[in-house]
């Protein structure tokens, strides 16, 4: 028996289709990406140069409060901000005592000595200005200074330099 040409063509197309489907396959590859995020931290100080002249009223009060330094900290991990100083430079041979400088910090997070003046001499070598265990972005701490005055202070310019250090909890 002879099959009509149309049926033979259909069988041939079906055979080709079956053959092509039987040969399909899949290939998989993978790609791994490693991103290293380093310690990121910054410290920006504002209002770092202060010049004040003590008045008679300041001497009567026994101290002068100086304008504030603002420290802005950004870090991607816990951090600590500390300060250190070697004291006042001598004036005409007179050394103003380190106990005459007090500092106070104000910030929106934990701070060891927040909101009360502390004598620099009463603290360790590095005074902890502020600390945080969480990463932060641009948090500001205000550091105020109070200098005690008395009749032993001779006329002159008393200069003290503070060094601020930002360390991370790596």
């Amino acid at each position: 028996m002879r099959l009509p040409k149309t049926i033979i063509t259909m069988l041939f197309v079906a055979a080709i289709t079956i053959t092509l489907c039987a040969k399909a396959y899949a290939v998989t590859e993978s790609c791994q990406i490693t991103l290293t995020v380093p310690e990121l931290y910054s410290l920006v100080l504002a209002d770092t140069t202060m010049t004040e002249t003590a008045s008679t009223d300041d001497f009567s009060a026994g101290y002068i409060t100086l304008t504030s330094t603002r420290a802005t900290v950004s870090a991607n991990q816990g951090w600590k901000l500390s300060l250190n100083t070697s004291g006042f430079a001598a004036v005409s041979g007179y050394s103003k005592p380190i106990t005459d400088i007090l500092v106070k910090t104000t910030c929106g997070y934990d701070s060891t000595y927040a909101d009360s003046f502390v004598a620099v001499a009463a603290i360790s070598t590095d005074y902890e200005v502020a600390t945080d265990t969480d990463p932060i972005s641009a948090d500001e701490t205000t550091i105020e200074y109070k200098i005690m005055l008395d009749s032993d202070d001779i006329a002159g310019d008393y200069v003290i330099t503070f060094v601020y250090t930002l360390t991370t909890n790596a």
Side-chain angles (χ1 to χ4, degrees):
M1 162 179 135
R2 188 154 197 213
L3 295 173
K5 194 174 195 182
T6 306
I7 293 175
I8 294 173
T9 304
M10 286 177 26
L11 288 172
F12 181 70
V13 169
I16 291 175
T17 303
I18 292 170
T19 304
L20 289 177
C21 287
K23 295 220 178 209
Y25 61 91
V27 175
T28 359
E29 295 288 333
S30 63
C31 174
Q32 179 178 344
I33 297 174
T34 301
L35 172 65
T36 302
V37 177
E39 286 184 23
L40 300 173
Y41 49 90
S42 70
L43 170 62
V44 177
L45 294 178
D47 304 321
T48 57
T49 302
M50 293 164 246
T51 303
E52 298 284 341
T53 301
S55 68
T56 304
D57 290 340
D58 295 327
F59 270 95
S60 295
Y63 65 89
I64 183 171
T65 302
L66 303 174
T67 55
S68 305
T69 297
R70 292 185 325 275
T72 303
V73 175
S74 295
N76 64 351
Q77 61 183 311
W79 56 273
K80 178 177 91 171
L81 179 63
S82 57
L83 68 80
N84 197 324
T85 184
S86 58
F88 291 97
V91 173
S92 300
Y94 171 71
S95 295
K96 187 163 181 57
I98 188 73
T99 53
D100 281 359
I101 184 76
L102 296 94
V103 294
K104 174 175 88 168
T105 60
T106 306
C107 55
Y109 42 86
D110 290 337
S111 179
T112 305
Y113 301 104
D115 299 323
S116 61
F117 279 102
V118 176
V120 173
I123 58 178
S124 62
T125 305
D126 288 326
Y127 167 69
E128 188 175 289
V129 174
T131 185
D132 203 335
T133 56
D134 297 321
I136 60 166
S137 175
D139 277 355
E140 186 175 281
T141 297
T142 301
I143 302 102
E144 296 177 64
Y145 309 93
K146 182 188 281 187
I147 299 177
M148 305 309 290
L149 302 171
D150 61 39
S151 59
D152 291 335
D153 297 332
I154 62 172
D157 293 330
Y158 294 88
V159 178
I160 188 168
T161 301
F162 289 100
V163 177
Y164 288 85
T165 305
L166 174 64
T167 54
T168 57
N169 302 332

